[in-house]
């Protein structure tokens, strides 16, 4: 799932499963970041890396949602 061309080769069913997995990972990262920030002893570099990972997942989620959502011309 590294290139946009990869998404065009997958069925909608596969994309829905991946979407759910990515959403779950995104939530888990959000909780981990929140926990580290609340602790106050967290390494800022670690938090920054987790936030970047979370943004990459958000981009993947948006890409899949765009593919699954039909274009409606009003």
């Amino acid at each position: 799932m590294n290139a946009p061309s990869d998404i065009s080769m997958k069925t909608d069913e596969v994309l829905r499963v991946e979407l759910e997995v990515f959403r779950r990972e995104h939530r888990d990262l959000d909780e981990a970041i929140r926990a580290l920030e609340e602790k106050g002893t967290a390494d800022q570099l670690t938090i920054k890396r987790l936030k970047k990972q979370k943004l990459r997942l958000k981009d993947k989620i948006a890409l899949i949602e765009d593919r699954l959502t039909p274009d409606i011309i009003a």
Side-chain angles (χ1 to χ4, degrees):
M1 181 80 205
N2 293 333
S5 61
D6 290 344
I7 197 169
S8 65
M9 302 299 288
K10 295 181 180 179
T11 66
D12 286 357
E13 183 70 24
V14 171
L15 290 174
R16 283 187 184 88
V17 170
E18 284 186 352
L19 182 60
E20 185 55 38
V21 169
F22 292 150
R23 284 179 176 161
R24 191 173 310 123
E25 288 178 21
H26 189 269
R27 280 191 304 269
D28 291 346
L29 281 171
D30 196 36
E31 291 173 11
I33 291 167
R34 191 176 314 116
L36 287 171
E37 288 176 337
E38 286 175 2
K39 240 170 118 174
T41 59
D43 177 16
Q44 291 303 310
L45 183 59
T46 301
I47 291 174
K48 188 174 182 177
R49 287 179 179 158
L50 290 175
K51 286 182 177 182
K52 281 187 177 186
Q53 186 177 352
K54 187 177 157 192
L55 284 173
R56 281 191 298 272
L57 281 172
K58 184 178 176 183
D59 290 342
K60 288 181 181 182
I61 290 168
L63 186 65
I64 293 172
E65 287 174 340
D66 287 347
R67 166 81 194 296
L68 291 174
T69 306
D71 291 335
I72 299 174
I73 300 173

